[in-house]
Amino acid sequence: MKLIRKKIQSLLLLALFVGQFPTLLAQDLPRQYLYVSKQTGQTSNFHGQQGKTTDKYEEGNVTINVVGPITHAVTPNDMSIGHNQTKTWQGQISPLIAQCPAPGSSVSAKLNAAYDVVFSRPQGGAADGAVILSTYNCSTEADGVNHEHSGCQFHGSLGGMHEIVRKIGTVVQDFEIFSINCIVPVAFNCADGTATLHADIYPGNEGTVIWQTPFGQLTGNDIQINLPPNFNNINVTATYTVRGVSYSANGVIRPDNLTGFALPCCANQPKNVRDIAMLTFDGPCHPPVVFAPAIVSPPTTGIVGPTNIINVTASANTVNLGSTITTVNENIELSVTPFAVDFSKIGNLLKDAAEVVSHTPGSPCSPSFSVTGGLTLTTSKKCCLGPCLIKDAQKIAGSVGVSAGVSCRFPIYGIPYVASLDALLEASIGVTGTLSHQTTCDAPKVCAELGATISFGLGIGASIAGGMITADLKGVVEGASASVNYCFIPAPITGEWKANLGKIKVVGTVTTLEVFNYTVEYTLFDGYEFGPFPL
Amino acid sequence: MLNHRIVSTLTKYIIAVLLPLAVVAQAKVPPYEFKPVEIKFSAGFTGLMNDPTHKSGSELVYKYNGQIFDKTDGQIPTKEDGFDGTSKRSTPWETLGELIHAYREKNFDKILSLYTVTTQDQLITLLAGEKKEKFLNHVSKITKAKILAGFEYKEGILVIYESKELGISSCYMIKKKKKYVLSSFNDDGPEAWNLSLYFKFKPEPITVPLIQTTVDSFGSTETKRIDFKLNKANNFVTVCGDKLGQAVLYNIKDNSEYDLNPEPGIVGIDFNKSKSAMPKEYTLYIAETNYPLTMVSEPILKVAKGFTFKVYKK
């Protein structure tokens, strides 16, 4: 505050210092704020004093006028000064409250200071619009006569050129005058017995708010106070003060009535009722609410069933409301039964795949199939929120291993020296999985991908004509993969099986009756995609 | 000297009397007439080895100095024809004639004598013990043999012949002292193998069989029998998708044990035998060949006819 006052004080006398601080004229003066209270008639102002002693070259005159609802006063009123003279002024700027706007708004004003000053400065000063009246060497003074102890502080004992200049201009200071205001809302916000003391203040850029309450004086806006149980109306006063200018307003903290109390339909773990209660009031000030019981917990395993219905009351001031919640112990298993899955289709599809490899459906194949392990289906209760519902949850757990094999004989026609040769295709698939999958509130399905490995082997051998025609061949399978997916829940069980087979080549040697030996390598096919097939 | 004259005169007499009879009864060994020949066929059937050197588009083209016999030529004379199993072995066909004669006679020593000394040793080793008897029992089944072709191949002659009893065979001969003798041969190239396959199947153009069964749709748990009427009995029916290089779904030979329709010229195939088809619309392609096919290739798709059916959930 002192700093601001000092600035304004300097401003009033600025014109007189132009010669000493010529660069100041180029600066934009920051806008300054003044405050009035239409309620109390208080105003803020700027005031101060400043002295000036001129040298033999300096002289000047300043004329001040104002625009807007402000007034100024300078003592002495004469703002001129001559050569070698000392003067001191006192000045003040104040708002004219009667001309200021209503509380909660502001108005602009400005002070114009027109100056006309003459002073001496070293030659070559800034091109600031000053008029050079004359020049002189500071070793001979301006009168042209050599004096003892000639020279000047700027140039030293050897002296140098100075100029006498005249400068005319205006300095403007802008003001914003705020008509301050303080409004206390009709109803305070209270949450769970804690009221927030808030006042709408204007302009709010500075100043403080002080509250007078039955619980003492509190400073600040958005102050929180704890309200006592069963409280009634509480009177409070807020006073907004900025630079000694104040505006006050009264208010009442009125408790509103509890009109509604609801709880989620269920909880699967201990819950503080306060954290899950859904409350409604007939206004924004919510008094403290007491819940009984304060905590709801799921039933203990082995004591009762998986669910427990609990009645809860909510009390606020004189209002008592009730609600219920069902707590669920999701770990209590209602039933555990073996879960049967028909994996035999995996074996059938493997046989299909083998038949495709051999291109001969119905080829004599010897399938083998086995299943190890087992799955269980466990049912329990589950608390689902959004939409709120207690659902039956199902869990599939256990491990399963399916092993299927197939051995097929089929004709190979691609040998020149025999009508056809028997090839032996041996294919196997292994499917394994360890499951622990449960339905969830959002996903009432249990689906899982089981690990699957598939392999194909192709043997082709023949010894004909007492060993004179030999075909020592085999099939080379370049890569095979399979995937098996099941959705166990909901019924019926569905699944999908697919496999990829890489290139199959026939390689080896063939010897004819007349000992013509061939090194053989040919491709049966580059690959094949089986499925997907439903399981 | 006198005896010699008598014998000579007698011989001339006998020859003069019997010659006309022999000409009638004994068939000639096919003429040995090698000239430039070209064999061109589709590279798409099963068993062919990859032979980029001779591949032109989707065909294999082989050019040799050789001789290809048509259906009626190339018969090797038998003892029923009056052939006594001896010749000058001055052509590959004469040597082959002696070999077939020796097979029928179970004359192992004669068989050995037709091979190079090195190969004779191999044969003795290979057919040691009871294998020799088995071998002779097998080859003596031949009643008639027909030369299919012969080519100048590497340093000798590749001969491909067939018999009703033993099918196709190929042998290798080299010329020694103006005589053709059989020799073992280790071939690590695709040419002789592919040529043998060509002569085994004698591939004809791909055609399309007629679908005799109406196939619009069937349930996912149903098996659908579809009959295909062939243009030529004993051919293969191929059912495939349209992805090149993929395995064909079915390649069934008419009258084979996998043909579910016993009527000649009609191939029956069960679709969705596992009764687990994914419900959707399927488009498959069918083709008919006189050779086996295991892989989808451009020549098949060029000719094959598509047929569409829907599998609905049941």
Side-chain angles (χ1 to χ4, degrees):
Chain A
M1 187 71 85
K2 261 186 174 179
L3 184 65
I4 295 170
R5 284 189 185 134
K6 189 80 175 171
K7 276 184 181 173
I8 302 304
Q9 170 188 304
S10 299
L11 172 71
L12 288 169
L13 305 168
L14 182 64
L16 298 177
F17 304 148
V18 167
Q20 292 166 325
F21 307 102
T23 54
L24 186 62
L25 298 179
Q27 291 180 343
D28 290 331
L29 294 173
R31 174 179 292 257
Q32 301 296 332
Y33 301 137
L34 288 165
Y35 300 92
V36 301
S37 171
K38 287 277 190 179
Q39 184 186 58
T40 62
Q42 295 167 312
T43 65
S44 68
N45 58 58
F46 294 107
H47 60 88
Q49 69 173 32
Q50 184 69 46
K52 172 67 180 173
T53 299
T54 55
D55 60 19
K56 58 188 174 187
Y57 304 113
E58 291 174 322
E59 62 178 329
N61 183 45
V62 175
T63 304
I64 292 175
N65 69 71
V66 295
V67 178
I70 56 171
T71 182
H72 76 285
V74 178
T75 305
N77 196 31
D78 177 16
M79 294 189 67
S80 64
I81 191 168
H83 303 299
N84 293 322
Q85 202 174 356
T86 295
K87 270 194 168 182
T88 297
W89 292 271
Q90 289 185 325
Q92 179 169 307
I93 296 172
S94 304
L96 294 170
I97 193 165
Q99 295 174 26
C100 286
S105 57
S106 70
V107 65
S108 297
K110 63 173 63 176
L111 178 147
N112 300 315
Y115 59 86
D116 180 357
V117 294
V118 175
F119 55 93
S120 167
R121 68 184 180 192
Q123 195 174 37
D128 54 0
V131 178
I132 301 169
L133 300 176
S134 61
T135 59
Y136 66 94
N137 192 310
C138 66
S139 65
T140 56
E141 299 285 342
D143 54 7
V145 178
N146 278 321
H147 295 273
E148 196 176 358
H149 308 302
S150 60
C152 57
Q153 192 175 0
F154 185 81
H155 292 106
S157 57
L158 295 176
M161 292 307 293
H162 278 232
E163 56 194 17
I164 304 294
V165 296
R166 183 180 187 185
K167 204 164 185 179
I168 298 172
T170 302
V171 177
V172 178
Q173 173 64 59
D174 288 312
F175 293 94
E176 191 70 22
I177 304 159
F178 295 102
S179 180
I180 70 169
N181 199 4
C182 178
I183 299 171
V184 171
V186 175
F188 286 89
N189 285 323
C190 315
D192 199 22
T194 299
T196 299
L197 300 182
H198 172 82
D200 294 327
I201 55 173
Y202 182 84
N205 58 334
E206 56 180 319
T208 56
V209 177
I210 295 174
W211 295 88
Q212 300 298 334
T213 74
F215 317 112
Q217 178 177 295
L218 302 166
T219 301
N221 214 353
D222 295 320
I223 294 290
Q224 291 191 328
I225 60 170
N226 292 323
L227 301 170
N230 302 319
F231 76 97
N232 215 326
N233 294 347
I234 298 172
N235 294 319
V236 294
T237 301
T239 302
Y240 174 44
T241 303
V242 53
R243 295 195 199 174
V245 180
S246 298
Y247 203 110
S248 297
N250 297 320
V252 181
I253 304 173
R254 294 184 186 87
D256 292 308
N257 294 315
L258 176 65
T259 56
F261 167 46
L263 291 168
C265 69
C266 58
N268 60 0
Q269 53 185 306
K271 291 283 183 185
N272 192 327
V273 176
R274 186 175 302 282
D275 296 336
I276 57 174
M278 293 164 282
L279 302 170
T280 55
F281 296 85
D282 60 1
C285 187
H286 306 168
V289 180
V290 176
F291 299 99
I295 295 172
V296 290
S297 299
T300 309
T301 302
I303 302 299
V304 289
T307 60
N308 186 23
I309 299 172
I310 299 174
N311 294 315
V312 181
T313 58
S315 304
N317 286 354
T318 57
V319 178
N320 294 306
L321 298 176
S323 182
T324 60
I325 185 169
T326 303
T327 54
V328 181
N329 186 333
E330 296 179 347
N331 296 320
I332 293 177
E333 296 173 343
L334 299 176
S335 66
V336 181
T337 54
F339 189 71
V341 181
D342 179 11
F343 290 108
S344 62
K345 272 191 173 180
I346 293 175
N348 293 337
L349 286 166
L350 179 70
K351 185 170 176 288
D352 277 5
E355 288 183 353
V356 170
V357 172
S358 62
H359 312 294
T360 49
S363 56
C365 296
S366 307
S368 62
F369 181 76
S370 69
V371 178
T372 56
L375 301 174
T376 57
L377 174 66
T378 304
T379 57
S380 58
K381 292 290 182 185
K382 191 159 192 66
C383 169
C384 298
L385 301 171
C388 203
L389 194 64
I390 298 170
K391 289 184 177 176
D392 289 332
Q394 293 178 305
K395 181 180 180 181
I396 300 288
S399 62
V400 64
V402 180
S403 177
V406 64
S407 176
C408 305
R409 288 201 176 276
F410 64 97
I412 288 267
Y413 296 101
I415 314 295
Y417 310 109
V418 288
S420 66
L421 279 183
D422 260 9
L424 178 65
L425 174 74
E426 290 186 321
S428 66
I429 186 167
V431 179
T432 57
T434 300
L435 302 178
S436 181
H437 292 60
Q438 190 173 25
T439 57
T440 64
C441 294
D442 298 328
K445 282 184 176 181
V446 170
C447 296
E449 180 172 354
L450 304 180
T453 56
I454 191 167
S455 68
F456 288 87
L458 188 62
I460 309 156
S463 179
I464 305 164
M468 279 300 287
I469 294 180
T470 58
D472 186 9
L473 300 169
K474 64 177 179 178
V476 176
V477 181
E478 297 180 352
S481 63
S483 67
V484 173
N485 292 280
Y486 274 102
C487 280
F488 299 105
I489 295 172
I493 300 167
T494 58
E496 193 175 281
W497 184 96
K498 58 183 176 182
N500 275 291
L501 188 61
K503 178 186 279 189
I504 292 189
K505 291 192 297 188
V506 173
V507 298
T509 58
V510 169
T511 303
T512 72
L513 276 172
E514 288 83 20
V515 208
F516 199 116
N517 302 309
Y518 289 102
T519 302
V520 178
E521 177 177 332
Y522 67 84
T523 301
L524 277 178
F525 50 81
D526 290 333
Y528 195 76
E529 293 174 6
F530 301 103
F533 296 108
L535 286 169
Chain B
M1 194 68 171
L2 180 64
N3 287 342
H4 176 73
R5 261 198 214 118
I6 292 170
V7 170
S8 178
T9 305
L10 186 61
T11 303
K12 283 176 183 172
Y13 173 77
I14 292 170
I15 291 171
V17 171
L18 297 180
L19 187 60
L21 187 64
V23 167
V24 171
Q26 183 169 340
K28 285 182 182 176
V29 172
Y32 176 57
E33 295 169 338
F34 270 29
K35 61 183 180 183
V37 293
E38 179 181 281
I39 299 172
K40 186 191 285 187
F41 54 96
S42 168
F45 63 86
T46 301
L48 290 173
M49 287 204 266
N50 188 28
D51 189 0
T53 308
H54 295 94
K55 198 166 183 186
S56 174
S58 60
E59 292 186 318
L60 288 169
V61 181
Y62 293 101
K63 293 176 182 176
Y64 297 101
N65 195 38
Q67 190 172 355
I68 301 170
F69 293 91
D70 62 23
K71 281 185 177 178
T72 55
D73 295 336
Q75 297 294 336
I76 293 171
T78 61
K79 63 181 179 183
E80 287 81 7
D81 299 326
F83 180 57
D84 63 359
T86 60
S87 72
K88 293 179 181 175
R89 304 179 194 171
S90 60
T91 70
W93 315 149
E94 288 182 347
T95 304
L96 184 61
E98 287 198 30
L99 178 71
I100 301 300
H101 192 275
Y103 278 169
R104 294 188 67 187
E105 296 295 315
K106 290 189 177 181
N107 187 340
F108 190 66
D109 291 339
K110 178 65 184 287
I111 292 169
L112 281 181
S113 71
L114 294 168
Y115 282 88
T116 62
V117 175
T118 310
T119 309
Q120 287 176 17
D121 294 340
Q122 289 178 18
L123 286 171
I124 290 167
T125 307
L126 275 169
L127 300 176
E130 61 180 15
K131 283 186 178 176
K132 178 179 158 186
E133 192 60 30
K134 284 184 178 175
F135 167 70
L136 290 173
N137 286 338
H138 179 72
V139 297
S140 64
K141 293 174 187 168
I142 293 181
T143 55
K144 272 187 174 180
K146 178 185 180 315
I147 308 163
L148 298 172
F151 308 102
E152 289 178 4
Y153 188 68
K154 307 290 172 72
E155 304 302 319
I157 305 290
L158 167 67
V159 176
I160 302 169
Y161 72 95
E162 72 174 340
S163 66
K164 189 181 172 185
E165 295 78 13
L166 304 186
I168 299 283
S169 191
S170 57
C171 56
Y172 192 69
M173 294 185 196
I174 56 175
K175 199 172 184 181
K176 278 194 169 182
K177 295 178 182 174
K178 297 184 180 179
K179 288 187 176 183
Y180 285 92
V181 290
L182 288 152
S183 171
S184 65
F185 186 76
N186 294 323
D187 192 8
D188 55 3
E191 292 175 53
W193 176 272
N194 288 349
L195 286 168
S196 299
L197 268 180
Y198 166 79
F199 283 105
K200 177 182 179 181
F201 293 111
K202 299 176 190 72
E204 294 172 357
I206 301 170
T207 58
V208 178
L210 182 70
I211 302 176
Q212 284 198 314
T213 316
T214 304
V215 194
D216 292 329
S217 61
F218 55 90
S220 57
T221 56
E222 294 174 346
T223 297
K224 181 73 175 176
R225 168 75 56 84
I226 301 177
D227 287 332
F228 299 90
K229 183 174 175 52
L230 302 178
N231 297 294
K232 196 173 175 184
N234 296 320
N235 273 354
F236 290 83
V237 167
T238 296
V239 181
C240 62
D242 60 355
K243 285 186 181 175
L244 291 173
Q246 291 281 291
V248 302
L249 290 171
Y250 306 113
N251 183 235
I252 309 296
K253 193 176 189 325
D254 182 27
N255 285 326
S256 70
E257 60 181 303
Y258 309 112
D259 174 7
L260 300 175
N261 190 323
E263 191 177 339
I266 297 177
V267 170
I269 300 176
D270 274 352
F271 284 75
N272 195 30
K273 218 174 122 221
S274 64
K275 302 178 178 178
S276 54
M278 189 68 85
K280 64 171 188 175
E281 190 172 272
Y282 291 85
T283 297
L284 300 175
Y285 296 84
I286 50 169
E288 176 184 336
T289 56
N290 69 331
Y291 48 82
L293 285 171
T294 51
M295 179 163 62
V296 180
S297 64
E298 281 180 5
I300 303 173
L301 293 181
K302 209 170 180 179
V303 177
K305 183 184 174 188
F307 71 106
T308 301
F309 56 89
K310 194 171 185 179
V311 173
Y312 54 86
K313 190 168 185 180
K314 184 179 178 185

